[in-house]
Amino acid sequence: MSILIKNGYVVTASEDFTADIYIEGEKIVAIGKDLTYKAEKIIDATGKLVFPGGIDPHVHLDMPFMGTSSSDDYETGTGAALHGGTTMVIDFILQTQGDTLYNALHAWQKRSAKAIGDYSYHMAVTDFNDKVAKEVVDMIEKEGINSFKTFMAYKGALMIDDGQMVNLMKVVKEHGGMVTVHATNGDMIDALIAKHRKEGKLSPLYHYLSQPEVTEAEASARFADMLHYTGCTGYIVHMTCEGALNAVRRATLRNQKVYVETCSQYLMIDASLYDKGFESAKWVMSPPLREKKDQVALWNGINQGLIQTVGTDHCPFMWEQKKMGEHDFSKIPNGHPAIEHRMEFLFSEGVNKGKISLSKYVEVTSTNAAKIFGMYPNKGTLAIGADADVVIFNPIKKHTISVKTHHMRVDYSAYEGLEVTGKCETVLLRGKVAVENDKLVLQKGNGKFIKRGKIKEVI
Ligand code: URP
Ligand code: ZN
Ligand code: ZN
């Protein structure tokens, strides 16, 4: 298949210009003015922006969690992602405590066989010992999985202690990988949950009040210190607040680089949503939504280069699943749906409102994730030889977010009625049309596992 995209405004992380793009097979072959290639399909992109396909570095598809499983699987989740211009996701494999990393990898390989879009995995190490250390090396050297997720919370299921963390960092550093972290102080949070339950404070509001900013700021600083001590490269996922960002800012004073991801929800919506009785369960996620001053800090952090990526932490649950915690907030499955909306939200709220430039937009939605996680320049940019993952974007088209029109497998929208400006109109995945005229064209099984190279400090 060959495709010629005519007259689009091409945007990469470093430049933007009007040009044509010629694609043959899976790859971009030429970028330039007035290209004359004879293509099987011509797309007129006049008046449109042309971006590299989005990479969401943080999703949970079909993940067993809190006694249930997230409701989007690899087919519906990557399909919804493609509708929203995200051509690749990085999901999390969860090691079961007491079991091996390879058993977990095999379980996730079965789940992901039906992916429509491209994907990779972070490996969550929830139980570290000498045997697991050897598997960590194999993940990097043989499996192309170079990022190891850790949890400083969710004790008894996912959390590792600081000793395990430091020992993991030493092995990962030696073999060219990266440690990523859910950085919140699990013991403090568990004590606050227990206190609130004892006092009969059981509504979703107390999920929020059990995870104050200090729990995230403290753990982020501790994680940065452990990285500094071991020399390991690290990445903090789903950062929400000023205090945690300041911990990273302090680390830069000793010339340390700690990569940071925030998520679209922490930039878009705030903790006032916890005032709606049980409806607030829609926004029960960890860490919780924060304050307006934190949103200001996060946007500034993006522009200051302290935050490199914006993911979603997409972890949807049907309303019936959320109701598991109707009488006790600590039983509400944590997570919310957003995989479909990240690119459009960031454009509408960020670029359109003048908070970030077009090139910063491409950096945080695609290029930086490709660089940090060892996929650049094959993914994350529009360049000759790169995978033809392309979004043709109408920057002025307004539309309204609703459960009636979204494609995620979840029976509510956390953004019902929100009007956004900008729409992903045509999406290409490795040279194939994936989405056109609001229709998903690709079938399940089309998604490819992307093996990743060793981590180099790149940004
Ligand atoms: O609430 C969340 N974030 N659910 C998914 C698991 C995690 O902590 O990322
Ligand atoms: Zn997390
Ligand atoms: Zn997550």
Side-chain angles (χ1 to χ4, degrees):
M1 175 81 180
S2 56
I3 300 179
L4 183 59
I5 304 169
K6 292 290 293 173
N7 252 326
Y9 194 69
V10 176
V11 187
T12 72
S14 52
E15 45 188 354
D16 45 85
F17 48 87
T18 300
D20 303 341
I21 299 180
Y22 178 65
I23 295 160
E24 228 174 59
E26 297 199 337
K27 300 284 180 186
I28 295 175
V29 168
I31 303 177
K33 296 251 185 231
D34 303 320
L35 296 182
T36 54
Y37 291 87
K38 297 259 169 294
E40 287 155 82
K41 182 177 174 74
I42 296 180
I43 300 172
D44 180 10
T46 309
K48 310 284 166 65
L49 302 173
V50 183
F51 300 133
I55 299 173
D56 188 338
H58 191 151
V59 306
H60 302 280
L61 301 176
D62 199 5
M63 180 178 78
F65 186 52
M66 295 183 75
T68 184
S69 283
S70 54
S71 57
D72 260 322
D73 62 17
Y74 267 82
E75 182 181 355
T76 61
T78 60
L82 284 166
H83 271 284
T86 291
T87 50
M88 177 173 175
V89 300
I90 314 184
D91 189 27
F92 292 83
I93 298 176
L94 299 185
Q95 176 196 15
T96 301
Q97 291 185 336
D99 202 350
T100 64
L101 300 188
Y102 265 102
N103 281 344
L105 173 63
H106 295 146
W108 257 261
Q109 283 169 332
K110 279 198 194 109
R111 291 190 176 102
S112 53
K114 59 181 172 178
I116 305 175
D118 286 355
Y119 61 94
S120 180
Y121 311 119
H122 305 286
M123 173 61 73
V125 177
T126 63
D127 191 1
F128 186 72
N129 53 46
D130 290 346
K131 221 172 127 201
V132 172
K134 292 200 178 69
E135 292 192 288
V136 164
V137 178
D138 284 347
M139 289 298 145
I140 300 172
E141 304 291 349
K142 298 184 186 157
E143 308 298 340
I145 298 171
N146 56 28
S147 46
F148 297 88
K149 171 75 180 296
T150 58
F151 291 89
M152 296 168 87
Y154 303 121
K155 202 171 191 166
L158 302 173
M159 180 170 155
I160 57 171
D161 65 28
D162 293 349
Q164 289 179 303
M165 178 75 89
V166 165
N167 288 334
L168 170 67
M169 284 178 176
K170 285 180 181 163
V171 176
V172 169
K173 176 196 159 47
E174 203 186 318
H175 292 273
M178 166 187 295
V179 173
T180 80
V181 71
H182 171 126
T184 62
N185 184 317
D187 287 333
M188 281 176 80
I189 292 167
D190 287 347
L192 283 166
I193 292 173
K195 172 182 176 294
H196 288 136
R197 291 179 77 206
K198 197 165 161 202
E199 291 168 356
K201 295 170 173 167
L202 297 171
S203 72
L205 173 67
Y206 291 93
H207 169 80
Y208 163 63
L209 293 175
S210 298
Q211 300 200 34
E213 180 175 7
V214 63
T215 59
E216 192 178 334
E218 184 281 330
S220 301
R222 185 158 34 103
F223 179 72
D225 285 347
M226 290 187 282
L227 289 174
H228 190 243
Y229 169 66
T230 57
C232 188
T233 304
Y235 175 101
I236 301 178
V237 308
H238 57 36
M239 188 177 280
T240 69
C241 60
E242 187 182 18
L245 194 60
N246 283 340
V248 171
R249 204 187 304 275
R250 285 195 299 277
T252 66
L253 298 176
R254 59 189 176 202
N255 296 316
Q256 190 188 354
K257 180 87 200 176
V258 180
Y259 294 119
V260 176
E261 164 201 286
T262 188
C263 295
S264 45
Q265 58 270 29
Y266 301 120
L267 296 164
M268 299 283 298
I269 49 182
D270 63 66
S272 59
L273 289 167
Y274 293 122
D275 208 9
K276 291 181 178 289
F278 190 69
E279 195 198 340
S280 299
K282 288 178 185 169
W283 302 282
V284 164
M285 62 186 86
S286 292
L289 300 173
R290 300 288 185 197
E291 311 300 315
K292 292 251 186 288
K293 61 104 183 157
D294 296 301
Q295 292 181 334
V296 173
L298 294 176
W299 284 111
N300 286 339
I302 288 173
N303 282 315
Q304 291 159 357
L306 283 170
I307 296 174
Q308 289 79 27
T309 63
V310 180
T312 56
D313 194 6
H314 177 71
C315 191
F317 296 98
M318 293 287 188
W319 192 242
E320 217 35 53
Q321 294 174 288
K322 285 282 185 183
K323 275 166 68 182
M324 289 162 66
E326 205 168 3
H327 306 294
D328 179 351
F329 70 87
S330 70
K331 297 193 166 54
I332 301 170
N334 287 197
H336 106 305
I339 200 167
E340 187 168 348
H341 303 314
R342 180 185 68 119
M343 301 284 285
E344 291 173 355
F345 280 176
L346 259 279
F347 185 86
S348 189
E349 192 62 27
V351 178
N352 207 40
K353 294 193 178 167
K355 291 177 183 148
I356 54 172
S357 68
L358 269 176
S359 54
K360 183 58 88 176
Y361 172 82
V362 171
E363 260 187 49
V364 299
T365 57
S366 178
T367 311
N368 284 350
K371 286 183 175 174
I372 291 170
F373 294 112
M375 300 177 282
Y376 187 84
N378 195 36
K379 297 280 188 198
T381 193
L382 298 172
I384 292 166
D387 277 1
D389 300 336
V390 185
V391 179
I392 298 164
F393 191 86
N394 183 335
I396 54 173
K397 186 156 181 186
K398 293 187 192 299
H399 59 114
T400 302
I401 304 296
S402 172
V403 64
K404 294 193 194 100
T405 47
H406 76 203
H407 302 86
M408 301 175 287
R409 187 157 71 189
V410 59
D411 53 1
Y412 62 88
S413 172
Y415 303 89
E416 190 64 41
L418 179 73
E419 189 186 75
V420 296
T421 302
K423 179 129 186 50
C424 300
E425 286 191 336
T426 306
V427 180
L428 308 184
L429 174 66
R430 281 181 285 107
K432 289 186 192 151
V433 176
V435 174
E436 198 170 41
N437 301 323
D438 270 333
K439 293 248 168 338
L440 186 60
V441 183
L442 292 179
Q443 313 294 323
K444 67 176 174 185
N446 182 82
K448 180 170 147 191
F449 172 68
I450 305 297
K451 265 194 166 188
R452 297 185 278 118
K454 291 201 178 188
I455 300 289
K456 299 178 215 97
E457 270 203 13
V458 280
I459 301 173

